[in-house]
Amino acid sequence: MVERADMRIEQLADGFELWVGDVAIVRHRAAEPAFFVGSGRPLVEMYRGNFAIEDRVDERLPLRHAEIAGNLVRLAVAAGLAPLLELRVEPGGLALNAAGPALNRFWLRVLADAGERLWGGGEQMSYFDMAGRRFPLWTSEPGVGRDKSTQLTWQADVTGKSGGDYWNTNYPQPTYVSSRRYALHVETDAYAAFDFRDPDFHEIEAWAVPARIEAWAAPSFVGLVEQLSARFGRQPRLPDWAIGGAIVGLKDGERSFDRLEGFVAAGAEVSGLWCEDWVGLRVTSFGKRLFWDWKANEARYPGLRGRIAALAARGIRFLGYVNPYLAADGVQFVEAAERGYLALRQDSDDIYLVDFGEFDCGVVDFTNPDAAKWFAERIIGQEMLDFGLSGWMADFGEYLPVDVRLSNGVDGMLMHNPWPTIWAKVNADAVASRGRTGDALFFMRAGWTGVQAHCPLLWAGDQSVDFSRHDGIGTVIRGALSSGLLGNAYHHSDIGGYTSLFGNVRTAELIMRWSEMAAFTPVMRSHEGNRPDDNLQIDGDPQVLAHFARMTRIHAALAPYVAGLCDEAVATGLPLQRPLFLHFEEDAACYPVETAYLYGPDLLVAPVIEPGAERWQVYLPAGADWIHLWSHEAHSGGQVLDVESPIGSPPVFWRAGSVHEALFAGLASI
C-alpha cells in the first residue's frame, strides 16, 4: 500500500497554499481568493427519476482575509469582520466549519495546469476526461439519448422530460483524479458540481459547506487508485460462478426455462439465469415493467423453487430483481405501512407516493433502522436468498424525492445523493446475514460516495439499443474507466442495451458487437430490454445465438486470468478494466484513449463501437510488444494499428511475454 501523503499549509505574504505531497492544490490570496461561501435556495422538479434543478443564489461572498495559526485558518470577508469559515489542516484532509447554518453554499477554486486531464466524477458515461466541461453531481436517471442535438433526446424530453445530457449519471461522486497525480474528494452529500472550464482554476461547488476536503498524492496512478479504494471501500472477490460463464437474461415467465435450453444446446457456457420478471409483470406505455411486490409470482413462474434447485444441480444459478420501493397495490406495501416503515409527506402524515410511470409506490424509509432491517431480512433474506436466489439487480437507488419526510429528520436535499449507498448497505447486510458475501451477487447502477464498500458489482445502467455517441455501446467503456479509477473494481453492462423508444430497436450487429465486448469484462450478462417483443433477442436469430455462444466460451476460458485479477482487486483495489495510461504513464498517446482499455495488465481490448466497421484503429502502448489475439501476429508498441475486425474477431491483443500467453493463444481456436 502506498503511504498517504499528508496535506500541509504553507503561509504566503498575503495568504496561503495547500499542498498534498509535492503538489500544490490551492492558492488563496486576498486579491484572488480560493474560498467562497454564501446562501441560496434550490428549485427542484422531479419527474420519474429525472430532475430539473436550478439555484437561486442570494449571496456569494469571497473570503479574502485569512488569519493563520499553525494548522488553523480563519477566513473572513475582510479584516475586522467575523470569520465565516474555519479550516483545519488534518492528516489527509481539510476539515471545514461554517459560522452558521445560513451559509448553505460553498465554492472552492483549485489550481489548474495547462493540458491537465481530469477523471472520475463517479461513473461518467459521455466523457472519460472531464477537462473543459462542467459536471453537476446528482444521482438521477441518466436520460434517454443524452445528447440535446439528437432527435431521440428531443423526443424523450418533450414526451417525458427524460432526454438527459452528457453529465447525467446514476452514479456521481465528488471525487476526481488529476493527471498531476493527485486526487481530491469533497466529503458532502449535498448537490455538488465540478467546473473544469476555466484554464486557471477548477471550481468546486456544493450546496452545503462540506465536512472535509480530502486529497491524496502518489508517484503513480496505480498508487492513487490503491489509496482511493482503501478510503471508499473494496469489493469482495467475484464468485467463481459469475466469471465462469454468461448470465442469460430472460423475462418470459416459465418459457424462460425452455428458452434457456436453447442457449445451452447452442453451446453457450451458462453460469446463471436472470429472470427479472420473477415477481410478475405490469405492462405500461414504456414497455413491460415488473410488479414491485418482492416475492415469487407463482402464476408467472409456477414451481419456481423447484426449478431453481434443478438449475443449481446443473451448476446454473438463478437471479432476480428488487428495488427499494413497494407498489401501492402490493401486499408488502400494506405490511410496511402498518409498521410505519414508509416515508411520509412533509405536509401531513400520509405516505409519500412516487409516480414511477402509471403506477405509484411507497419509499421504504431506510433512515429508520428497523425499516432497513425489515427489508434486509423480510424481503431480501426470506423472499429471495432463502427462496434460492443467488443474485439480483438492486435497481433504482436514485429516485428519492427531495420533499420527502424521513425518520432521521434530515432534509431530502441532503439524503438524495447518499440514498444509493444506503440502499447498497441494505442489500449487503442481507447477504452477510446468510453468510453469502462473495457468493450471492447483486449489481447496481446507482451510487454515491462509499457505495463500493457495499455493492459488489456495478452495471452501466440503461443504454439505448444503438451505437450512439452519448447513450450507446461506447458509453459503458467510459463508465467502467471513470468508476474504476475511484476503486470500483468490477463493472459490466446489458448486452444489447436496454432502452428502446420511438422506433429505436436493436440490430443483430449491435448485439454481436456488444457480446464481443462483454466477453472481455468481469461479468457477461444479457438483457431483453424494456420492449422485448419489439426487439431482436439473442435466441431470435441463429447467427446471433451462435456468435453469443462462442463469446460465452471465450469469457469462460478467461476465468483463470480473471480470477487472478479479482484477487488483485481485493488486495489493491485495482479495477479489472483499466485506462491504458494506468500501466503506461510515460506514453503520452495513451492519455486521450477512452474507448479501449487494458483488461488487467496483459490484455488490450478495443471494442468496435460503430456500425458497419470491418476495420478498427487501435493504439498499442509503447514499451511493450503486442500479439493480435486472432492472428497471433506480433506488433511493436507506440503505433496506431489499422486492424481487420470482422464480427467474431474484435480487436484484442495480449502483451508479449505474459505468463498467461498459453491461455491467450488458445482463445482463437474456440
Side-chain angles (χ1 to χ4, degrees):
M1 177 68 189
V2 177
E3 185 176 347
R4 182 168 182 175
D6 285 338
M7 184 180 287
R8 69 180 190 277
I9 186 170
E10 292 191 2
Q11 190 164 350
L12 305 174
D14 59 345
F16 62 91
E17 289 182 338
L18 295 174
W19 290 68
V20 57
D22 60 357
V23 182
I25 59 173
V26 174
R27 181 177 299 118
H28 182 89
R29 292 191 171 109
E32 296 179 289
F35 291 87
F36 303 75
V37 294
S39 60
R41 292 164 290 156
L43 302 174
V44 181
E45 179 187 359
M46 183 185 86
Y47 184 73
R48 298 177 181 175
N50 301 280
F51 289 81
I53 302 178
E54 297 180 25
D55 193 14
R56 294 281 179 86
V57 176
D58 297 318
E59 194 171 41
R60 173 172 167 144
L61 302 171
L63 303 179
R64 299 181 184 279
H65 180 70
E67 295 180 358
I68 305 168
N71 284 340
L72 181 65
V73 181
R74 291 185 175 91
L75 296 172
V77 172
L81 297 181
L84 296 182
L85 187 65
E86 183 179 275
L87 315 175
R88 184 178 297 276
V89 179
E90 300 176 340
L94 186 70
L96 293 84
N97 186 34
L103 297 175
N104 61 8
R105 295 294 182 270
F106 171 83
W107 297 266
L108 169 64
R109 291 181 174 178
V110 179
L111 293 172
D113 272 0
E116 183 179 4
R117 297 181 182 275
L118 302 136
W119 310 284
E123 183 189 40
Q124 293 295 333
M125 314 304 292
S126 285
Y127 298 104
F128 177 42
D129 182 358
M130 299 189 291
R133 295 180 175 85
R134 183 177 185 272
F135 291 83
L137 301 167
W138 181 259
T139 178
S140 71
E141 283 279 4
V144 178
R146 304 182 70 255
D147 180 354
K148 296 303 186 186
S149 69
T150 64
Q151 183 179 10
L152 178 63
T153 304
W154 176 81
Q155 287 176 293
D157 274 333
V158 298
T159 58
K161 304 179 182 180
S162 60
D165 212 330
Y166 70 86
W167 49 267
N168 287 109
T169 176
N170 304 110
Y171 173 19
Q173 182 173 317
T175 312
Y176 70 80
V177 176
S178 166
S179 57
R180 298 171 62 204
R181 290 175 177 77
Y182 81 91
L184 186 143
H185 169 68
V186 184
E187 184 56 28
T188 184
D189 289 331
Y191 179 98
F194 287 158
D195 192 338
F196 299 126
R197 293 175 295 182
D198 196 290
D200 297 323
F201 57 82
H202 313 313
E203 184 160 272
I204 293 166
E205 176 183 351
W207 291 8
V209 175
R212 282 171 59 85
I213 303 292
E214 299 180 48
W216 300 260
S220 70
F221 294 115
V222 167
L224 277 176
V225 175
E226 288 187 22
Q227 293 185 74
L228 290 171
S229 64
R231 162 64 175 86
F232 299 122
R234 291 178 182 164
Q235 303 83 52
R237 187 183 186 279
L238 284 177
D240 288 338
W241 67 263
I243 64 176
I247 298 171
V248 175
L250 300 170
K251 51 179 178 183
D252 202 8
E254 61 180 329
R255 287 192 65 244
S256 299
F257 291 92
D258 294 333
R259 289 175 61 190
L260 180 67
E261 297 308 320
F263 283 81
V264 174
E269 193 71 42
V270 177
S271 63
L273 171 62
W274 174 49
C275 297
E276 60 176 349
D277 63 330
W278 75 290
V279 293
L281 281 184
R282 184 195 304 269
V283 179
T284 71
S285 61
F286 181 76
K288 289 185 176 179
R289 305 287 298 276
L290 309 179
F291 191 79
W292 294 7
D293 205 33
W294 311 121
K295 59 182 181 178
N297 187 299
E298 282 293 322
R300 188 158 181 82
Y301 282 94
L304 181 57
R305 188 191 293 267
R307 285 185 173 271
I308 292 174
L311 284 180
R314 299 166 56 188
I316 299 174
R317 305 293 186 108
F318 184 83
L319 297 86
Y321 174 102
V322 70
N323 70 48
Y325 307 101
L326 299 174
D329 51 351
V331 298
Q332 291 169 348
F333 177 95
V334 175
E335 184 177 345
E338 290 174 346
R339 294 170 177 264
Y341 290 164
L342 298 176
L344 304 177
R345 297 178 57 86
Q346 289 184 344
D347 57 359
S348 72
D349 288 335
D350 293 340
I351 292 169
Y352 193 110
L353 294 178
V354 181
D355 175 10
F356 277 91
E358 300 165 39
F359 61 98
D360 292 333
C361 295
V363 181
V364 181
D365 185 355
F366 294 136
T367 70
N368 178 344
D370 291 335
K373 291 177 183 176
W374 172 82
F375 199 101
E377 172 58 29
R378 171 70 184 85
I379 293 180
I380 300 178
Q382 296 176 18
E383 298 287 1
M384 299 174 68
L385 287 164
D386 293 350
F387 193 80
L389 273 66
S390 290
W392 53 88
M393 175 183 282
D395 204 1
F396 280 124
E398 59 281 273
Y399 269 66
L400 184 74
V402 299
D403 58 346
V404 70
R405 178 153 56 101
L406 298 170
S407 174
N408 67 354
V410 177
D411 190 291
M413 283 294 296
L414 295 176
M415 290 305 304
H416 175 84
N417 274 335
W419 204 252
T421 301
I422 296 169
W423 168 229
K425 186 177 186 300
V426 170
N427 285 266
D429 287 348
V431 172
S433 75
R434 299 307 194 263
R436 296 189 63 186
T437 302
D439 176 51
L441 184 67
F442 64 92
F443 45 98
M444 294 179 58
R445 68 177 188 174
W448 183 250
T449 303
V451 70
Q452 63 207 66
H454 311 294
C455 174
L457 174 65
L458 290 180
W459 118 83
D462 297 345
Q463 283 71 44
S464 289
V465 290
D466 56 32
F467 291 93
S468 61
R469 167 64 180 82
H470 290 277
D471 200 21
I473 180 173
T475 60
V476 306
I477 303 173
R478 300 180 186 93
L481 297 181
S482 56
S483 60
L485 279 183
L486 305 186
N488 293 275
Y490 314 120
H491 192 276
H492 79 301
S493 62
D494 298 335
I495 293 174
Y498 172 79
T499 304
S500 174
L501 293 173
F502 312 113
N504 188 30
V505 294
R506 291 170 170 170
T507 63
E509 180 187 18
L510 176 75
I511 296 175
M512 290 190 283
R513 288 304 194 188
W514 214 307
S515 297
E516 292 170 357
M517 178 178 65
F520 295 92
T521 63
V523 172
M524 186 177 186
R525 177 183 54 81
S526 65
H527 198 313
E528 291 201 311
N530 67 308
R531 293 186 172 180
D533 296 340
D534 296 342
N535 281 267
L536 176 65
Q537 300 302 330
I538 291 172
D539 57 343
D541 181 318
Q543 180 184 1
V544 172
L545 179 57
H547 175 273
F548 174 81
R550 177 169 172 257
M551 289 301 143
T552 69
R553 297 194 296 272
I554 289 171
H555 181 266
L558 280 169
Y561 176 66
V562 176
L565 299 181
C566 291
D567 291 336
E568 184 180 36
V570 171
T572 68
L574 286 178
L576 275 64
Q577 294 169 263
R578 305 169 185 177
L580 272 56
F581 64 76
L582 197 68
H583 292 300
F584 295 92
E585 295 194 23
E586 303 307 314
D587 185 353
C590 286
Y591 287 80
V593 177
E594 63 176 33
T595 55
Y597 56 92
L598 294 172
Y599 194 32
D602 291 346
L603 281 178
L604 191 159
V605 184
V608 175
I609 56 173
E610 294 179 2
E614 290 292 323
R615 304 189 69 85
W616 199 248
Q617 290 197 335
V618 182
Y619 179 72
L620 304 177
D625 292 329
W626 299 92
I627 313 299
H628 186 231
L629 189 71
W630 313 109
S631 68
H632 295 178
E633 293 178 357
H635 303 274
S636 58
Q639 65 170 316
V640 175
L641 199 65
D642 187 50
V643 187
E644 188 175 352
S645 306
I647 289 176
S649 300
V652 180
F653 297 80
W654 79 76
R655 189 197 297 241
S658 168
V659 296
H660 303 280
E661 192 158 11
L663 171 62
F664 300 151
L667 295 178
S669 61
I670 291 177

